[in-house]
């Protein structure tokens, strides 16, 4: 297949592109800057200049390929509504370009948070949660199945970790700990985060594009739930800082996310596609030390 990838030079995209190429596919990567274009070309993919606001580029990239993997998202937490709207417009544009083709449109989203239980691929995100806007966009994408598109949703956990992660939630927690002099968690730290290694996630995106049926909801989850206190204590140990409860406000937007218990399972995904995470889990990966170099 020739696959159009948005966010091709980003953290997850930079793993998805070589995963696709290694499996014999061709890749057209969307690039909004010279540096992004250079990174995509260096990986061996073709480049299409544009960004999420360039609907003509999104339309052309989608129409000229055998499928789409949509990873790009504007992570502006100060104006999340605008980010969600831009994402929705991008999905609608690419979906329209694929209409009637039965080609895959694989959308990155988030795993749900379900109070008191481990979220599965069948669960819906509750209104008002931190990922509610993206969940609405995912539902809109799934509706494209009625228009001859093969939409697939890949729910990503709160952390997609690995060597080279510089902007994800774990990297942000480490920066905050360095700035504050304490590795903080919210409450008693019993809230749990699901996690996945970036290379395992990349493989799932490839499998989704190749094989997942229309309307599939998948979970890219390796660790069902890692206690936030365990994360904070490991960060503290590597930084030689105390780990302690802190007010959620001290952690900025991450405070709200840390306070929610949100474990998730990928059992149905593994059964459907035979996907099996093989990379280190979050705690093992953190303990390797590359996040602290």
């Amino acid at each position: 297949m020739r696959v159009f990838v948005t966010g091709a030079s980003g953290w997850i995209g930079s793993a998805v592109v070589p995963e696709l190429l290694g499996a014999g596919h061709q890749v057209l990567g969307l690039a909004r800057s010279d540096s992004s274009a250079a990174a995509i070309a260096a990986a061996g993919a073709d480049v299409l200049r544009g960004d999420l606001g360039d609907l003509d580029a999104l339309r052309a990239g989608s129409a000229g390929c055998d499928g789409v993997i949509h990873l790009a998202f504007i992570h502006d937490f100060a104006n999340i509504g605008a980010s969600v709207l831009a994402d929705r417009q991008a999905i609608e544009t690419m979906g329209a370009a694929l209409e009637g083709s039965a080609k895959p449109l694989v959308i990155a989203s988030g795993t749900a948070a379900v109070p008191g239980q481990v979220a599965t691929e069948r669960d819906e995100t509750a209104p008002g949660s931190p990922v509610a806007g993206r969940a609405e966009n995912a539902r809109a994408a799934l509706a494209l199945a009625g228009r001859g598109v093969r939409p697939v949703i890949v729910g990503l956990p709160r952390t997609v970790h690995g060597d080279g992660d510089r902007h994800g939630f774990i990297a942000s927690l480490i920066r905050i700990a360095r700035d504050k002099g304490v590795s903080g968690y919210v409450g008693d730290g019993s809230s749990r985060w699901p996690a996945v290694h970036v290379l395992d996630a990349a493989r799932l995106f490839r499998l989704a594009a190749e094989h997942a049926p229309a309307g599939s909801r998948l979970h890219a989850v390796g660790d069902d739930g890692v206690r936030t206190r365990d994360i904070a204590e490991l960060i503290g140990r590597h930084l030689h800082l105390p780990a302690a409860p802190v007010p959620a406000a001290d952690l900025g937007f991450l405070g709200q996310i840390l306070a929610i218990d949100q474990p998730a399972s990928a059992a149905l995904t593994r059964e459907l596609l035979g996907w099996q995470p093989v990379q280190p889990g979050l705690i093992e990966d953190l303990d390797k030390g590359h996040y602290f170099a």
Side-chain angles (χ1 to χ4, degrees):
M1 290 194 300
R2 180 169 171 83
V3 185
F4 178 44
V5 180
T6 72
S9 65
W11 169 233
I12 299 173
S14 62
V16 169
V17 169
E19 174 69 28
L20 290 167
L21 294 172
H25 301 298
Q26 297 176 323
V27 175
L28 176 65
L30 185 69
R32 62 185 176 88
S33 68
D34 290 343
S35 60
S36 293
I40 293 167
D46 295 327
V47 176
L48 177 65
R49 293 302 297 262
D51 57 29
L52 286 188
D54 187 345
L55 302 184
D56 287 339
L58 296 179
R59 192 176 296 110
S62 301
C65 289
D66 302 308
V68 176
I69 295 179
H70 176 44
L71 303 171
F73 188 80
I74 303 169
H75 290 94
D76 181 1
F77 293 100
N79 194 9
I80 194 66
S83 298
V84 169
L85 178 59
D87 185 50
R88 179 66 167 266
Q89 291 173 333
I91 291 170
E92 290 173 346
T93 298
M94 293 185 290
L98 297 177
E99 188 168 344
S101 68
K103 294 176 181 178
L105 174 59
V106 183
I107 306 290
S109 188
T111 56
V114 183
Q117 68 185 64
V118 178
T120 76
E121 294 87 339
R122 296 188 178 121
D123 288 310
E124 291 279 352
T125 295
S129 82
V131 294
R134 295 195 77 178
E136 283 290 330
N137 289 354
R139 284 190 284 273
L142 290 176
L144 292 167
R147 295 164 54 189
V149 181
R150 178 160 65 88
V152 180
I153 305 303
V154 177
L156 292 167
R158 299 307 163 262
T159 176
V160 181
H161 58 88
D163 194 358
D165 176 17
R166 297 292 178 264
H167 303 288
F169 287 173
I170 295 297
S172 296
L173 287 174
I174 291 170
R175 284 193 294 272
I176 293 170
R178 284 187 166 124
D179 290 343
K180 301 285 188 181
V182 59
S183 182
Y185 52 90
V186 176
D188 64 1
S190 63
S191 58
R192 294 163 291 174
W193 273 9
V196 69
H197 194 282
V198 67
L199 296 180
D200 286 325
R203 192 168 71 259
L204 181 57
F205 276 102
R206 173 178 63 79
L207 291 172
E210 291 174 340
H211 306 300
S216 297
R217 288 180 177 269
L218 309 176
H219 273 183
V221 172
D223 293 311
D224 286 9
V226 181
R227 290 198 318 165
T228 54
R229 179 169 182 168
D230 293 338
I231 297 171
E233 288 177 344
L234 193 149
I235 291 172
R237 185 165 70 250
H238 276 269
L239 296 181
H240 306 291
L241 295 173
V246 299
D250 285 4
L251 297 167
F253 73 91
L254 280 174
Q256 179 187 8
I257 299 172
L258 281 165
I260 302 172
D261 188 41
Q262 46 195 307
S265 164
L268 298 177
T269 297
R270 298 181 193 195
E271 181 180 350
L272 178 66
L273 293 180
W275 175 71
Q276 183 65 39
V278 298
Q279 299 296 328
L282 176 58
I283 294 299
E284 181 184 353
D285 195 28
L286 273 173
D287 223 10
K288 290 178 180 293
H290 54 78
Y291 270 95
F292 309 96

